[in-house]
Amino acid sequence: MKYKSTHRLSYLVLMLLSQLSHATDIFKWTGAQGRQHYSDIKHPAATELKLTQDYSYYPVQKVYDGDTVLLTDGRKIRLVGINTPEIEHPRQAAQAGGGAALQWLTQQLVNTRVRLEFDQQKKDKYKRHLAHLFTEQGLHLNLELVRLGYASTSIYPPNLKYVTALLAAEQAAEASHLGIWQYAEYTPKLTSELSSANKQGWQRIVGRVTGIKSTAKSRYLKLSDHFDVRIKNEHLQYFDQLQALKGKKIEARGWVNKYKNGFSMLVKHPGAIKVLE
C-alpha cells in the first residue's frame, strides 16, 4: 500500500507508537527448577518479550455481549483482561449491566473495523481468540469498557499487557460509581453472607485473613471457616509479601466455587485482591 506523502506516513507511524506506548512491558525468565515465569516487573535474569501484533483491520460481523465478538473472517474474539456481566440466554439469566455493555460495544463498532493486539496466550479453553481490540479511530475497546464502568478487570497471567492501565481505569470507575459499580449486585459481600443460593456470577467477598495454608499445588488465604482464596503456586510470583496479608481485612474479586466444606475463590493476580485495612 502506497501513501500520498511522507507527512501522511509519519503521522501514521506516530499514531501507532502512541498506542504502543501505553502497553505494559512483559518479562520472561527461567526459574531454578526450569519453570518459565512471566511478569510485568523486571526480574534480574529476565528478557523482555517482543509481542507480535497484527496491524490489519477487520470488520465485526456480530457482537455476542460486552466482551465477545465475531469477525467476518470467522474468528471469535474474547476481549482479554476484562469481564462484562452476562446477558440473558437459555442457560443464564441476565446480570445487571450486561445489556448496557452489549449496547455500548455495539455502538462503537458501527461503521468501523478493528485491529487485534495479542498477548502471551492466543486462545482460551473455549478456542476463542484472546485480544485487545482497537478501532480504526484508535479507541482501545477493552480499556474503555473498564474506564466507563461497563466491565471489571479479569487478569489471567501470563496475559499482562495493559494490566496497569486496566487496573487504574477500574479503580477510577469504581470511585466514581460508574456502570456496574452503582448496582447493588456488585457491592461487597461478607463471607457470612455467602451461600449456595447467591454464589453465582462475579463476586466481591470481604473477610479477614485468619491464616495462610500451603499445599503442593496452592496457597490458601483463610477468610472464614467456610471460605478461602486460592492462589496456585505457579502464580505466587506475582504476589509480593503474601504473608503480610495475615490479619488484614481484604476484598477478593472473582468467581466463587462450591466444595464439600464451603466455598473457594481462585485468584491469579494481585489485582483481584484489595487490602481494606
Side-chain angles (χ1 to χ4, degrees), residues 79-93:
L79 278 65
V80 67
I82 73 169
N83 180 71
T84 60
E86 297 290 337
I87 62 170
E88 184 178 6
H89 55 76
R91 293 180 294 177
Q92 173 71 55

Side-chain angles (χ1 to χ4, degrees), residues 11-261:
Y11 173 77
L12 291 173
V13 171
L14 286 172
M15 285 293 293
L16 179 59
L17 290 175
S18 69
Q19 292 169 0
L20 288 176
S21 67
H22 297 293
T24 301
D25 295 329
I26 306 299
F27 302 96
K28 175 182 178 181
W29 71 94
T30 302
Q33 297 180 348
R35 179 182 296 175
Q36 297 296 318
H37 298 279
Y38 300 87
S39 179
D40 55 341
I41 300 174
K42 189 172 183 179
H43 185 275
T47 57
E48 184 177 353
L49 291 174
K50 301 300 182 182
L51 303 177
T52 302
Q53 306 302 341
D54 184 347
Y55 296 113
S56 301
Y57 285 89
Y58 304 91
V60 174
Q61 178 177 318
K62 181 178 180 179
V63 181
Y64 291 100
D65 54 28
D67 54 35
T68 310
V69 303
L70 179 68
L71 304 183
T72 55
D73 63 10
R75 284 183 292 175
K76 194 172 186 178
I77 309 297
R78 175 62 166 82
L79 278 65
V80 67
I82 73 169
N83 180 71
T84 60
E86 297 290 337
I87 62 170
E88 184 178 6
H89 55 76
R91 293 180 294 177
Q92 173 71 55
Q95 297 174 344
L102 169 62
Q103 182 179 16
W104 182 87
L105 183 58
T106 301
Q107 291 174 342
Q108 306 312 306
L109 294 172
V110 174
N111 298 323
T112 191
R113 298 176 299 169
V114 296
R115 68 174 177 86
L116 315 177
E117 283 197 13
F118 298 106
D119 210 319
Q120 290 300 302
Q121 296 172 323
K122 296 295 182 66
K123 292 184 179 181
D124 64 11
K125 63 182 180 180
Y126 303 109
K127 307 302 181 182
R128 299 175 299 186
H129 295 262
L130 299 171
H132 290 271
L133 292 190
F134 292 81
T135 67
E136 290 177 297
Q137 295 73 33
L139 190 67
H140 184 181
L141 294 172
N142 308 50
L143 183 60
E144 284 297 292
L145 281 159
V146 174
R147 187 182 70 83
L148 297 173
Y150 293 115
S152 60
T153 59
S154 184
I155 310 302
Y156 280 63
N159 302 312
L160 298 175
K161 194 171 187 184
Y162 296 108
V163 64
T164 302
L166 288 170
L167 290 172
E170 179 180 58
Q171 183 177 359
E174 182 180 350
S176 299
H177 303 288
L178 299 179
I180 63 174
W181 307 109
Q182 64 184 297
Y183 300 131
E185 290 87 344
Y186 297 94
T187 56
K189 183 183 300 178
L190 297 176
T191 57
S192 58
E193 299 176 280
L194 187 61
S195 69
S196 297
N198 65 8
K199 75 176 184 64
Q200 285 77 19
W202 187 86
Q203 303 270 353
R204 300 169 66 187
I205 306 298
V206 173
R208 193 173 299 278
V209 180
T210 59
I212 301 177
K213 176 184 176 182
S214 297
T215 68
K217 294 183 178 180
S218 300
R219 196 76 53 89
Y220 293 85
L221 308 181
K222 194 74 173 177
L223 270 62
S224 75
D225 291 337
H226 65 279
F227 180 83
D228 56 50
V229 176
R230 178 188 172 207
I231 304 168
K232 292 182 179 179
N233 289 344
E234 64 193 83
H235 297 135
L236 289 176
Q237 59 183 296
Y238 306 108
F239 293 80
D240 294 331
Q241 301 178 337
L242 195 63
Q243 287 294 328
L245 292 178
K246 189 173 181 179
K248 300 287 187 181
K249 186 177 182 181
I250 68 169
E251 176 190 311
R253 302 179 173 191
W255 288 264
V256 175
N257 296 304
K258 182 75 173 68
Y259 63 95
K260 61 180 180 179
N261 295 319

